[in-house]
Amino acid sequence: MIHPVSPGSIFMLPHGTRIVHKLQDFLRKEYARYGYQEVMTPLIYKKDLWETSGHWQNYMEDMFMVKSGHAHDCTHSHDDKDHSIDTNEGLFGLKPMNCPGHCLIFDSTPKSYRDLPIRLADFSPLHRNEASGALTGLTRVRRFHQDDAHIFCTEKQITSEITSCLSFVDHVYSAFKFPHYDLTLSTRPKSHYIGTIEEWNHAEEALIQALNKSERPWTIKEGDGAFYGPKIDIMVKDSSGKSHQTATIQLDFQLPQRFGLKYIDKNDEAQTPVIVHRAILGSIERMMAILIEHTGGKWPFWLSPRQGIVIPVATPFSDYAKKVADHLSLGTNTTSDNAHYFVDVNNSHDRLNKMIRQAQLQQYNFIFVVGQKEMDEGVVNVRTRKGDVLGTMTIEQVRDMFSSMTTKLE
């Protein structure tokens, strides 16, 4: 699934990439329900932006910096002279988070109180210069993806937006069938923070109200907040009992002020919005590691990179097996939906029992055996990775079963 290259760097191979896309697609469908708009932002920004956001002063050691400077030779034909122009645009930083870019998007057009809340979501990769000793498999890497989002809202909307975020977390983690997760409130750091103590106290009180409204138990991590605001962290335990921070919900009064963000209230006066930083999965890579442990590689159908495999009982039925796999993957003119599923074919020359056993070990959710009878009738013989034999089904019946399992997130 993954292949280490250097500390903190990975290749994501085809089956791992399938899972990444499944997770992203799942959240994209939920974005419509929760009112998010997806955007795409640059990977690199000038030093000036990071100074405005406060990252340069408070987060620089955890960022990757890029020095820009190139000599360009420009030949002007009208006087036949060469002019060497040395351009040096200074320092750039690879983004460790998306919030400054989302602030620029918010500020790109005038905003009214009627426009708020504005919820912007972003899946673009992030880079953080983690210490080598802190790097651990998929759980902590230097290049990663978040289901990152920022909510721009009024102060009166804070509690409802935080409550909605907590509801979003619960919905997603229920789909993963996590038996339990912990909520923690991280408060103002002792140093390297921006804003006044009064602003921090106000922000922390808003999060406390939302946590109490959730009616779930929560604890406090003193001094563990981000430099720009307090946050709610969601902790999930892996199969060994080790806790991992996954989702995060952060309240920020500082960044809107630093970027001069404004909206016009109902009295035609300019007001500063509040930002809620929010990630439901946290790092997608870390969530994958937790899910691998949680499922033991037995992925639920809707998230599985190996949803089905077609096995011909003998070589003469290989063409039919390929046709079946294509139809199960992509559908046909007669099937009722056009969803795509991951269905492979085993074209090896091994014995049938060995191919079935191999498919079970590879955790294919469904195994489809085809021979002369199945080819004559245009059907497949269906069994599960547990060894349960479901009997004969048509292609449309199988895809209806797939659709039902995907809809229910089973």
PDB file of all heavy atoms in Angstrom, residues 215-240:
ATOM      1  N   GLU A 215     -23.036  17.246  25.194  1.00  0.00           N
ATOM      2  CA  GLU A 215     -23.390  16.245  26.208  1.00  0.00           C
ATOM      3  C   GLU A 215     -22.466  15.040  26.177  1.00  0.00           C
ATOM      4  O   GLU A 215     -22.837  13.945  26.585  1.00  0.00           O
ATOM      5  CB  GLU A 215     -24.856  15.819  26.062  1.00  0.00           C
ATOM      6  CG  GLU A 215     -25.845  16.971  26.257  1.00  0.00           C
ATOM      7  CD  GLU A 215     -27.289  16.525  26.190  1.00  0.00           C
ATOM      8  OE1 GLU A 215     -27.536  15.374  25.772  1.00  0.00           O
ATOM      9  OE2 GLU A 215     -28.162  17.324  26.554  1.00  0.00           O
ATOM     10  N   ARG A 216     -21.249  15.236  25.682  1.00  0.00           N
ATOM     11  CA  ARG A 216     -20.233  14.195  25.722  1.00  0.00           C
ATOM     12  C   ARG A 216     -19.166  14.604  26.733  1.00  0.00           C
ATOM     13  O   ARG A 216     -18.895  15.804  26.917  1.00  0.00           O
ATOM     14  CB  ARG A 216     -19.570  14.003  24.354  1.00  0.00           C
ATOM     15  CG  ARG A 216     -20.482  13.450  23.279  1.00  0.00           C
ATOM     16  CD  ARG A 216     -19.700  13.234  21.987  1.00  0.00           C
ATOM     17  NE  ARG A 216     -18.646  12.269  22.164  1.00  0.00           N
ATOM     18  CZ  ARG A 216     -18.761  10.960  21.931  1.00  0.00           C
ATOM     19  NH1 ARG A 216     -19.901  10.479  21.498  1.00  0.00           N
ATOM     20  NH2 ARG A 216     -17.740  10.149  22.100  1.00  0.00           N
ATOM     21  N   PRO A 217     -18.535  13.637  27.414  1.00  0.00           N
ATOM     22  CA  PRO A 217     -17.470  13.993  28.361  1.00  0.00           C
ATOM     23  C   PRO A 217     -16.264  14.581  27.633  1.00  0.00           C
ATOM     24  O   PRO A 217     -15.980  14.213  26.495  1.00  0.00           O
ATOM     25  CB  PRO A 217     -17.127  12.652  29.020  1.00  0.00           C
ATOM     26  CG  PRO A 217     -17.580  11.602  28.045  1.00  0.00           C
ATOM     27  CD  PRO A 217     -18.775  12.182  27.359  1.00  0.00           C
ATOM     28  N   TRP A 218     -15.561  15.497  28.283  1.00  0.00           N
ATOM     29  CA  TRP A 218     -14.376  16.095  27.689  1.00  0.00           C
ATOM     30  C   TRP A 218     -13.382  16.473  28.781  1.00  0.00           C
ATOM     31  O   TRP A 218     -13.740  16.599  29.952  1.00  0.00           O
ATOM     32  CB  TRP A 218     -14.737  17.312  26.834  1.00  0.00           C
ATOM     33  CG  TRP A 218     -15.514  18.396  27.537  1.00  0.00           C
ATOM     34  CD1 TRP A 218     -16.868  18.459  27.724  1.00  0.00           C
ATOM     35  CD2 TRP A 218     -14.972  19.570  28.151  1.00  0.00           C
ATOM     36  NE1 TRP A 218     -17.220  19.581  28.407  1.00  0.00           N
ATOM     37  CE2 TRP A 218     -16.081  20.293  28.679  1.00  0.00           C
ATOM     38  CE3 TRP A 218     -13.684  20.085  28.299  1.00  0.00           C
ATOM     39  CZ2 TRP A 218     -15.913  21.503  29.358  1.00  0.00           C
ATOM     40  CZ3 TRP A 218     -13.523  21.293  28.951  1.00  0.00           C
ATOM     41  CH2 TRP A 218     -14.624  21.991  29.488  1.00  0.00           C
ATOM     42  N   THR A 219     -12.140  16.605  28.385  1.00  0.00           N
ATOM     43  CA  THR A 219     -11.072  16.957  29.327  1.00  0.00           C
ATOM     44  C   THR A 219     -10.323  18.180  28.802  1.00  0.00           C
ATOM     45  O   THR A 219     -10.536  18.622  27.672  1.00  0.00           O
ATOM     46  CB  THR A 219     -10.087  15.791  29.505  1.00  0.00           C
ATOM     47  OG1 THR A 219      -9.543  15.436  28.213  1.00  0.00           O
ATOM     48  CG2 THR A 219     -10.784  14.570  30.093  1.00  0.00           C
ATOM     49  N   ILE A 220      -9.436  18.726  29.628  1.00  0.00           N
ATOM     50  CA  ILE A 220      -8.671  19.913  29.271  1.00  0.00           C
ATOM     51  C   ILE A 220      -7.185  19.573  29.151  1.00  0.00           C
ATOM     52  O   ILE A 220      -6.634  18.845  29.985  1.00  0.00           O
ATOM     53  CB  ILE A 220      -8.856  21.034  30.317  1.00  0.00           C
ATOM     54  CG1 ILE A 220     -10.291  21.554  30.291  1.00  0.00           C
ATOM     55  CG2 ILE A 220      -7.896  22.188  30.058  1.00  0.00           C
ATOM     56  CD1 ILE A 220     -10.551  22.686  31.279  1.00  0.00           C
ATOM     57  N   LYS A 221      -6.551  20.093  28.089  1.00  0.00           N
ATOM     58  CA  LYS A 221      -5.095  20.067  27.951  1.00  0.00           C
ATOM     59  C   LYS A 221      -4.597  21.504  28.091  1.00  0.00           C
ATOM     60  O   LYS A 221      -4.674  22.294  27.155  1.00  0.00           O
ATOM     61  CB  LYS A 221      -4.684  19.501  26.582  1.00  0.00           C
ATOM     62  CG  LYS A 221      -4.810  18.004  26.446  1.00  0.00           C
ATOM     63  CD  LYS A 221      -4.241  17.572  25.096  1.00  0.00           C
ATOM     64  CE  LYS A 221      -4.303  16.064  24.926  1.00  0.00           C
ATOM     65  NZ  LYS A 221      -3.751  15.653  23.600  1.00  0.00           N
ATOM     66  N   GLU A 222      -4.121  21.832  29.266  1.00  0.00           N
ATOM     67  CA  GLU A 222      -3.680  23.196  29.528  1.00  0.00           C
ATOM     68  C   GLU A 222      -2.468  23.544  28.663  1.00  0.00           C
ATOM     69  O   GLU A 222      -1.498  22.791  28.588  1.00  0.00           O
ATOM     70  CB  GLU A 222      -3.320  23.365  31.007  1.00  0.00           C
ATOM     71  CG  GLU A 222      -4.488  23.201  31.962  1.00  0.00           C
ATOM     72  CD  GLU A 222      -5.445  24.383  31.931  1.00  0.00           C
ATOM     73  OE1 GLU A 222      -5.133  25.390  31.248  1.00  0.00           O
ATOM     74  OE2 GLU A 222      -6.505  24.297  32.578  1.00  0.00           O
ATOM     75  N   GLY A 223      -2.561  24.706  27.987  1.00  0.00           N
ATOM     76  CA  GLY A 223      -1.420  25.229  27.239  1.00  0.00           C
ATOM     77  C   GLY A 223      -1.126  24.538  25.937  1.00  0.00           C
ATOM     78  O   GLY A 223      -0.069  24.774  25.334  1.00  0.00           O
ATOM     79  N   ASP A 224      -2.052  23.691  25.427  1.00  0.00           N
ATOM     80  CA  ASP A 224      -1.773  22.908  24.227  1.00  0.00           C
ATOM     81  C   ASP A 224      -2.470  23.469  22.986  1.00  0.00           C
ATOM     82  O   ASP A 224      -2.516  22.823  21.951  1.00  0.00           O
ATOM     83  CB  ASP A 224      -2.189  21.449  24.439  1.00  0.00           C
ATOM     84  CG  ASP A 224      -1.461  20.494  23.498  1.00  0.00           C
ATOM     85  OD1 ASP A 224      -0.263  20.714  23.244  1.00  0.00           O
ATOM     86  OD2 ASP A 224      -2.089  19.543  22.997  1.00  0.00           O
ATOM     87  N   GLY A 225      -3.018  24.698  23.083  1.00  0.00           N
ATOM     88  CA  GLY A 225      -3.699  25.292  21.946  1.00  0.00           C
ATOM     89  C   GLY A 225      -2.740  25.725  20.854  1.00  0.00           C
ATOM     90  O   GLY A 225      -1.523  25.799  21.061  1.00  0.00           O
ATOM     91  N   ALA A 226      -3.285  26.028  19.667  1.00  0.00           N
ATOM     92  CA  ALA A 226      -2.477  26.580  18.585  1.00  0.00           C
ATOM     93  C   ALA A 226      -2.089  28.017  18.951  1.00  0.00           C
ATOM     94  O   ALA A 226      -2.686  28.625  19.836  1.00  0.00           O
ATOM     95  CB  ALA A 226      -3.271  26.558  17.281  1.00  0.00           C
ATOM     96  N   PHE A 227      -1.095  28.568  18.252  1.00  0.00           N
ATOM     97  CA  PHE A 227      -0.626  29.901  18.628  1.00  0.00           C
ATOM     98  C   PHE A 227      -1.671  30.982  18.384  1.00  0.00           C
ATOM     99  O   PHE A 227      -1.591  32.072  18.938  1.00  0.00           O
ATOM    100  CB  PHE A 227       0.691  30.238  17.908  1.00  0.00           C
ATOM    101  CG  PHE A 227       0.564  30.507  16.436  1.00  0.00           C
ATOM    102  CD1 PHE A 227       0.236  31.762  15.952  1.00  0.00           C
ATOM    103  CD2 PHE A 227       0.775  29.488  15.514  1.00  0.00           C
ATOM    104  CE1 PHE A 227       0.123  32.009  14.591  1.00  0.00           C
ATOM    105  CE2 PHE A 227       0.660  29.718  14.150  1.00  0.00           C
ATOM    106  CZ  PHE A 227       0.336  30.987  13.689  1.00  0.00           C
ATOM    107  N   TYR A 228      -2.678  30.682  17.558  1.00  0.00           N
ATOM    108  CA  TYR A 228      -3.684  31.690  17.218  1.00  0.00           C
ATOM    109  C   TYR A 228      -5.018  31.472  17.913  1.00  0.00           C
ATOM    110  O   TYR A 228      -5.932  32.277  17.771  1.00  0.00           O
ATOM    111  CB  TYR A 228      -3.903  31.735  15.702  1.00  0.00           C
ATOM    112  CG  TYR A 228      -4.118  30.368  15.088  1.00  0.00           C
ATOM    113  CD1 TYR A 228      -5.329  29.719  15.176  1.00  0.00           C
ATOM    114  CD2 TYR A 228      -3.075  29.724  14.421  1.00  0.00           C
ATOM    115  CE1 TYR A 228      -5.517  28.463  14.638  1.00  0.00           C
ATOM    116  CE2 TYR A 228      -3.247  28.474  13.862  1.00  0.00           C
ATOM    117  CZ  TYR A 228      -4.469  27.845  13.972  1.00  0.00           C
ATOM    118  OH  TYR A 228      -4.652  26.596  13.437  1.00  0.00           O
ATOM    119  N   GLY A 229      -5.189  30.353  18.639  1.00  0.00           N
ATOM    120  CA  GLY A 229      -6.472  30.144  19.286  1.00  0.00           C
ATOM    121  C   GLY A 229      -6.595  28.782  19.955  1.00  0.00           C
ATOM    122  O   GLY A 229      -5.821  27.860  19.662  1.00  0.00           O
ATOM    123  N   PRO A 230      -7.579  28.639  20.856  1.00  0.00           N
ATOM    124  CA  PRO A 230      -7.821  27.345  21.509  1.00  0.00           C
ATOM    125  C   PRO A 230      -8.450  26.362  20.528  1.00  0.00           C
ATOM    126  O   PRO A 230      -8.930  26.752  19.460  1.00  0.00           O
ATOM    127  CB  PRO A 230      -8.793  27.706  22.633  1.00  0.00           C
ATOM    128  CG  PRO A 230      -9.546  28.888  22.092  1.00  0.00           C
ATOM    129  CD  PRO A 230      -8.543  29.664  21.273  1.00  0.00           C
ATOM    130  N   LYS A 231      -8.477  25.085  20.902  1.00  0.00           N
ATOM    131  CA  LYS A 231      -9.003  24.092  19.973  1.00  0.00           C
ATOM    132  C   LYS A 231      -9.600  22.908  20.721  1.00  0.00           C
ATOM    133  O   LYS A 231      -9.297  22.655  21.894  1.00  0.00           O
ATOM    134  CB  LYS A 231      -7.892  23.594  19.039  1.00  0.00           C
ATOM    135  CG  LYS A 231      -6.706  22.953  19.756  1.00  0.00           C
ATOM    136  CD  LYS A 231      -5.661  22.454  18.766  1.00  0.00           C
ATOM    137  CE  LYS A 231      -4.473  21.819  19.497  1.00  0.00           C
ATOM    138  NZ  LYS A 231      -3.527  21.166  18.579  1.00  0.00           N
ATOM    139  N   ILE A 232     -10.466  22.198  20.021  1.00  0.00           N
ATOM    140  CA  ILE A 232     -10.985  20.915  20.474  1.00  0.00           C
ATOM    141  C   ILE A 232     -10.305  19.838  19.645  1.00  0.00           C
ATOM    142  O   ILE A 232     -10.355  19.870  18.409  1.00  0.00           O
ATOM    143  CB  ILE A 232     -12.514  20.827  20.285  1.00  0.00           C
ATOM    144  CG1 ILE A 232     -13.217  21.898  21.110  1.00  0.00           C
ATOM    145  CG2 ILE A 232     -13.015  19.429  20.661  1.00  0.00           C
ATOM    146  CD1 ILE A 232     -14.700  22.006  20.801  1.00  0.00           C
ATOM    147  N   ASP A 233      -9.656  18.899  20.302  1.00  0.00           N
ATOM    148  CA  ASP A 233      -9.025  17.769  19.622  1.00  0.00           C
ATOM    149  C   ASP A 233      -9.833  16.515  19.882  1.00  0.00           C
ATOM    150  O   ASP A 233     -10.356  16.308  20.984  1.00  0.00           O
ATOM    151  CB  ASP A 233      -7.583  17.557  20.106  1.00  0.00           C
ATOM    152  CG  ASP A 233      -6.628  18.608  19.564  1.00  0.00           C
ATOM    153  OD1 ASP A 233      -6.907  19.152  18.484  1.00  0.00           O
ATOM    154  OD2 ASP A 233      -5.618  18.889  20.234  1.00  0.00           O
ATOM    155  N   ILE A 234      -9.916  15.665  18.868  1.00  0.00           N
ATOM    156  CA  ILE A 234     -10.584  14.374  18.992  1.00  0.00           C
ATOM    157  C   ILE A 234      -9.508  13.298  18.977  1.00  0.00           C
ATOM    158  O   ILE A 234      -8.677  13.245  18.067  1.00  0.00           O
ATOM    159  CB  ILE A 234     -11.614  14.147  17.865  1.00  0.00           C
ATOM    160  CG1 ILE A 234     -12.877  14.987  18.113  1.00  0.00           C
ATOM    161  CG2 ILE A 234     -12.021  12.682  17.783  1.00  0.00           C
ATOM    162  CD1 ILE A 234     -12.755  16.437  17.799  1.00  0.00           C
ATOM    163  N   MET A 235      -9.499  12.467  19.995  1.00  0.00           N
ATOM    164  CA  MET A 235      -8.489  11.420  20.154  1.00  0.00           C
ATOM    165  C   MET A 235      -9.134  10.052  19.917  1.00  0.00           C
ATOM    166  O   MET A 235     -10.175   9.735  20.498  1.00  0.00           O
ATOM    167  CB  MET A 235      -7.881  11.469  21.554  1.00  0.00           C
ATOM    168  CG  MET A 235      -7.402  12.852  21.996  1.00  0.00           C
ATOM    169  SD  MET A 235      -6.016  13.465  21.023  1.00  0.00           S
ATOM    170  CE  MET A 235      -4.736  12.295  21.498  1.00  0.00           C
ATOM    171  N   VAL A 236      -8.486   9.242  19.069  1.00  0.00           N
ATOM    172  CA  VAL A 236      -8.958   7.890  18.767  1.00  0.00           C
ATOM    173  C   VAL A 236      -7.855   6.905  19.148  1.00  0.00           C
ATOM    174  O   VAL A 236      -6.677   7.155  18.889  1.00  0.00           O
ATOM    175  CB  VAL A 236      -9.306   7.747  17.268  1.00  0.00           C
ATOM    176  CG1 VAL A 236      -9.673   6.308  16.932  1.00  0.00           C
ATOM    177  CG2 VAL A 236     -10.450   8.673  16.906  1.00  0.00           C
ATOM    178  N   LYS A 237      -8.231   5.790  19.731  1.00  0.00           N
ATOM    179  CA  LYS A 237      -7.256   4.770  20.117  1.00  0.00           C
ATOM    180  C   LYS A 237      -7.143   3.710  19.028  1.00  0.00           C
ATOM    181  O   LYS A 237      -8.145   3.272  18.465  1.00  0.00           O
ATOM    182  CB  LYS A 237      -7.661   4.120  21.436  1.00  0.00           C
ATOM    183  CG  LYS A 237      -7.511   5.028  22.644  1.00  0.00           C
ATOM    184  CD  LYS A 237      -7.832   4.304  23.944  1.00  0.00           C
ATOM    185  CE  LYS A 237      -7.646   5.227  25.135  1.00  0.00           C
ATOM    186  NZ  LYS A 237      -7.963   4.544  26.408  1.00  0.00           N
ATOM    187  N   ASP A 238      -5.881   3.303  18.748  1.00  0.00           N
ATOM    188  CA  ASP A 238      -5.677   2.220  17.797  1.00  0.00           C
ATOM    189  C   ASP A 238      -5.801   0.881  18.500  1.00  0.00           C
ATOM    190  O   ASP A 238      -6.121   0.802  19.696  1.00  0.00           O
ATOM    191  CB  ASP A 238      -4.334   2.371  17.065  1.00  0.00           C
ATOM    192  CG  ASP A 238      -3.128   2.281  18.006  1.00  0.00           C
ATOM    193  OD1 ASP A 238      -3.264   1.725  19.128  1.00  0.00           O
ATOM    194  OD2 ASP A 238      -2.054   2.755  17.624  1.00  0.00           O
ATOM    195  N   SER A 239      -5.544  -0.218  17.764  1.00  0.00           N
ATOM    196  CA  SER A 239      -5.755  -1.555  18.322  1.00  0.00           C
ATOM    197  C   SER A 239      -4.823  -1.874  19.482  1.00  0.00           C
ATOM    198  O   SER A 239      -5.118  -2.729  20.306  1.00  0.00           O
ATOM    199  CB  SER A 239      -5.574  -2.606  17.218  1.00  0.00           C
ATOM    200  OG  SER A 239      -4.262  -2.515  16.673  1.00  0.00           O
ATOM    201  N   SER A 240      -3.694  -1.145  19.583  1.00  0.00           N
ATOM    202  CA  SER A 240      -2.762  -1.371  20.690  1.00  0.00           C
ATOM    203  C   SER A 240      -3.075  -0.491  21.884  1.00  0.00           C
ATOM    204  O   SER A 240      -2.388  -0.551  22.900  1.00  0.00           O
ATOM    205  CB  SER A 240      -1.324  -1.119  20.224  1.00  0.00           C
ATOM    206  OG  SER A 240      -1.152   0.249  19.873  1.00  0.00           O
TER     207      SER A 240
END
